[in-house]
Amino acid sequence: MSQHILILAGDGIGPEIMAAAEKVLNRVNDKFALDFTWSHGLLGGSAIDAHGVPLPDVTLDAAKKADAVLLGAVGGPKWDAIERSIRPERGLLKIRSELNLFANLRPAILYPQLADASSLKPEIVAGLDILIVRELTGGIYFGQPRGIRVLENGEKQGFNTDVYSESEIKRIAKVAFDMAALRGGKVCSIDKANVLEVTELWKQTVTDLAAAEYPEIKLSHMYVDNAAMQLVKNPKQFDVLVTGNLFGDILSDEAAMLTGSIGMLPSASLDANGKGMYEPCHGSAPDIAGQDLANPLATILSVAMMLRYTFKQEDAAKAIETAVGVVLDQGLRTGDIMSAGMTKIGTQAMGEAVLKALG
Ligand code: IPM
Ligand code: MG
């Protein structure tokens, strides 16, 4: 049976990197006889321009019907001054929430070919392969009450609520444990249990679940401030990290930077049934948009993640990842990962090189 993918290229460099990724999707579709179909929709700034809102109903309906969503990036200075409730980022948060994409997988892998690109010493990061499992539809991002109110003395006060229920904690911890079982068997749960009750419950719930259902997993706990430090001090001590929405947002950027190029990192956001939205970890980079400078590899690798997690097409996923490795071995680099002696190429040429390597 044919399966359908909704492509949301988004803003900034989104359309360029997606054009390259779509060619790769097309190629694997033929090569592995996958019977995928896909269509396009608007999300973020481009949707605000066309429909006045960042997540139009037509996009949300299409996303709900699709088997997977492939996303470029959203946002840019053009929409920065817009009222908070309809900013591009709100579209992203709403689609995550409406599709129940509670499990965000953000791998940070250092490609050996790019060891020089990291700002850390090669011996600290060589061989780095960690996975951040970030809760994506709860916590302080969505907690109520929230807002900006005016106090009696006329002063404004901003407030948000960090909230997690046991069931929300359990379902994300399960994802982390299941992922760890397929990798190094270690999970480090990140909290701030010394200060915040919400993460005290987090820590206890994760501990109880591990004891009851995952005795083979090596579980440890770390305060988020220490985790931020350990990630730069000795990142290879980690296998899988699991944490809430806000800590995960911050730590995943830090982990991505350890690898030297956020332009290389894909991500997956999954619901309980394996449906997912796949997107590069980087943003819309408006400063280089439309100039054929962006690195399309994170989006191309997001296609690989989609094939693996939603469609269970491991061979096709591996073929894409191998092709990316071949292209790096050939010395081909976009500007963000350029180093001495390599060949600098543009977005579309990088996409073509991956196609060629795919055969
Ligand atoms: C991310 C981004 C988003 C987030 C923004 C754009 C709302 O930083 O995906 O990490 O904070 O989740
Ligand atoms: Mg972020």
Side-chain angles (χ1 to χ4, degrees):
M1 204 185 85
S2 142
Q3 285 172 301
H4 193 75
I5 300 159
L6 177 67
I7 295 184
L8 305 171
D11 311 316
I13 58 172
E16 301 160 68
I17 54 179
M18 194 55 82
E22 204 175 323
K23 286 186 192 159
V24 171
L25 177 61
N26 199 29
R27 178 66 58 86
V28 289
N29 194 36
D30 290 346
K31 207 174 141 78
F32 292 87
L34 295 178
D35 202 16
F36 289 147
T37 58
W38 52 93
S39 57
H40 297 85
L42 297 176
L43 178 77
S46 57
I48 296 173
D49 289 349
H51 300 275
V53 288
L55 176 60
D57 289 342
V58 28
T59 301
L60 183 57
D61 288 345
K64 284 184 172 162
K65 286 194 190 110
D67 298 292
V69 178
L70 194 57
L71 173 64
V74 298
K78 182 176 173 195
W79 306 281
D80 272 355
I82 253 169
E83 194 224 316
R84 192 158 16 99
S85 66
I86 57 159
R87 286 170 56 120
E89 292 81 359
R90 285 296 168 113
L92 184 59
L93 296 176
K94 187 168 172 204
I95 197 170
R96 287 172 177 171
S97 171
E98 289 277 342
L99 298 183
N100 290 315
L101 305 173
F102 70 92
N104 186 212
L105 312 182
R106 297 190 166 187
I109 295 171
L110 186 87
Y111 285 81
Q113 300 95 327
L114 301 180
D116 290 344
S118 175
S119 50
L120 296 190
K121 296 191 194 89
E123 64 266 27
I124 306 272
V125 288
L128 184 75
D129 179 359
I130 60 185
L131 175 68
I132 299 204
V133 178
R134 168 190 178 194
E135 200 292 326
L136 202 59
T137 53
I140 199 166
Y141 270 53
F142 293 93
Q144 296 289 347
R146 63 188 295 160
I148 298 174
R149 61 190 161 210
V150 182
L151 300 176
E152 267 171 26
N153 67 4
E155 191 189 4
K156 282 189 193 154
Q157 185 185 57
F159 57 101
N160 290 89
T161 306
D162 198 359
V163 47
Y164 273 114
S165 62
E166 285 179 292
S167 57
E168 284 177 301
I169 301 167
K170 268 191 198 150
R171 68 176 181 174
I172 192 70
K174 268 181 191 288
V175 172
F177 291 145
D178 289 339
M179 288 288 155
L182 301 171
R183 316 169 26 111
K186 288 197 297 180
V187 171
C188 184
S189 171
I190 309 300
D191 61 64
K192 188 73 189 173
N194 49 344
V195 179
L196 304 175
E197 286 82 354
V198 55
T199 67
E200 191 184 318
L201 180 70
W202 176 285
K203 184 174 182 178
Q204 192 56 53
T205 307
V206 172
T207 304
D208 294 347
L209 179 69
E213 292 180 36
Y214 294 89
E216 74 287 3
I217 296 292
K218 213 165 158 262
L219 173 66
S220 60
H221 303 271
M222 205 177 265
Y223 296 143
V224 63
D225 48 349
N226 187 26
M229 191 173 73
Q230 294 298 329
L231 269 174
V232 287
K233 191 176 169 209
N234 176 19
K236 283 190 272 177
Q237 70 184 280
F238 297 112
D239 178 22
V240 175
L241 289 101
V242 63
T243 190
N245 210 339
L246 181 61
F247 296 165
D249 178 45
I250 299 167
L251 294 180
S252 63
D253 263 26
E254 189 188 5
M257 204 54 227
L258 296 175
T259 70
S261 177
I262 197 164
M264 294 296 300
L265 299 177
S267 76
S269 306
L270 306 175
D271 75 0
N273 307 312
K275 176 169 173 167
M277 184 162 83
Y278 299 83
E279 58 182 304
C281 279
H282 61 70
S284 59
D287 52 320
I288 58 163
Q291 299 171 49
D292 197 43
L293 291 174
N295 186 347
L297 294 177
T299 313
I300 289 171
L301 291 166
S302 298
V303 174
M305 273 190 117
M306 174 178 81
L307 293 168
R308 171 170 299 125
Y309 290 116
T310 293
F311 298 118
K312 315 289 180 225
Q313 294 290 340
E314 184 61 27
D315 290 350
K318 278 258 164 59
I320 293 176
E321 289 163 353
T322 305
V324 168
V326 167
V327 166
L328 294 177
D329 283 340
Q330 290 165 347
L332 302 176
R333 303 282 187 271
T334 43
D336 58 312
I337 50 174
M338 183 59 189
S339 62
M342 300 295 136
T343 310
K344 191 165 165 183
I345 59 172
T347 311
Q348 298 315 314
M350 184 58 100
E352 294 299 328
V354 174
L355 283 182
K356 202 164 157 228
L358 263 172

